[in-house]
Amino acid sequence: MAKPSVKVTIKKYANRRLYDTESSAYITLDRLAELVREGREFEVVDAKTGEDITRQVLTQIIVDEEARGSTMLPVNFLKQLIGLYGNSMQGVVPQYLESAMDAFKRNQKAITDAFAGNAFADLAKRNAEMFGGLGGMSAGGGASDKELEELRAELAALQQKVDRLSK
């Protein structure tokens, strides 16, 4: 099912309740976290002033996740981040962090694609076929030169993928 491309507006009321204008229902911070994971675009606005408070609400989701024990942010990173507030580099930090996260996502996708692809499954299948065939071979028999060369080529291709991913 395709994700709607419309940005959803979430209104935050003084009583701290969040109202999803798309579904006409109150939602929780956990539901907002799900929207993020689903890749949905949304903005959170103060219901009274109309001010965009998306950043504060997203930060609150992170604080809640960390408090639940889903720790992902190392203490040293948090200290360094706090130290950058008011620093002359404060203006470039958001762009740097966004670029770093984009690179991380690209690498994560490349690794997932490499390990989820059929390359390893195909190699395992071929190895099983070859080793299965070895059991029934006579002393003079063996895998053909062509089969061995194909296996070497597949192994070399896999090694190149792993080398690219580790860079």
Side-chain angles (χ1 to χ4, degrees):
M1 183 165 96
K3 292 178 262 184
S5 60
V6 177
K7 183 186 277 190
V8 178
T9 298
I10 309 294
K11 292 183 179 181
K12 185 173 183 189
Y13 289 91
N15 63 3
R16 299 177 56 189
R17 293 190 71 183
L18 300 166
Y19 184 77
D20 181 342
T21 60
E22 181 182 62
S23 65
S24 299
Y26 287 99
I27 62 171
T28 63
L29 287 176
D30 288 337
R31 176 63 187 133
L32 270 184
E34 287 175 25
L35 291 175
V36 170
R37 291 182 191 104
E38 293 168 2
R40 291 293 312 270
E41 288 295 322
F42 65 86
E43 65 178 346
V44 182
V45 297
D46 183 285
K48 185 175 182 180
T49 66
E51 176 189 3
D52 184 348
I53 56 171
T54 306
R55 181 183 318 276
Q56 294 90 325
V57 173
L58 292 174
T59 303
Q60 184 61 47
I61 291 170
I62 293 170
V63 169
D64 290 353
E65 290 287 340
E66 291 283 322
R68 282 188 206 130
S70 300
T71 56
M72 187 169 26
L73 301 173
V75 171
N76 194 40
F77 171 81
L78 293 170
K79 287 179 180 178
Q80 290 175 10
L81 190 60
I82 291 167
L84 289 170
Y85 280 93
N87 185 307
S88 62
M89 297 300 291
Q90 181 176 341
V92 298
V93 171
Q95 293 90 356
Y96 174 79
L97 291 176
E98 196 166 334
S99 294
M101 286 304 293
D102 287 344
F104 178 80
K105 285 177 78 174
R106 282 192 307 275
N107 289 339
Q108 181 184 28
K109 182 177 178 357
I111 290 170
T112 301
D113 290 348
F115 288 105
N118 290 334
F120 288 112
D122 290 344
L123 183 60
K125 181 180 175 187
R126 298 270 319 240
N127 283 341
E129 289 171 357
M130 188 178 84
F131 289 123
L134 288 176
M137 290 183 187
S138 63
S144 71
D145 289 338
K146 181 182 177 193
E147 290 174 321
L148 287 174
E149 193 55 42
E150 287 174 358
L151 286 172
R152 284 187 186 109
E154 286 181 40
L155 187 57
L158 287 172
Q159 183 62 50
Q160 287 176 344
K161 278 187 175 182
V162 170
D163 290 345
R164 279 194 309 264
L165 292 173
S166 64
K167 290 181 182 177

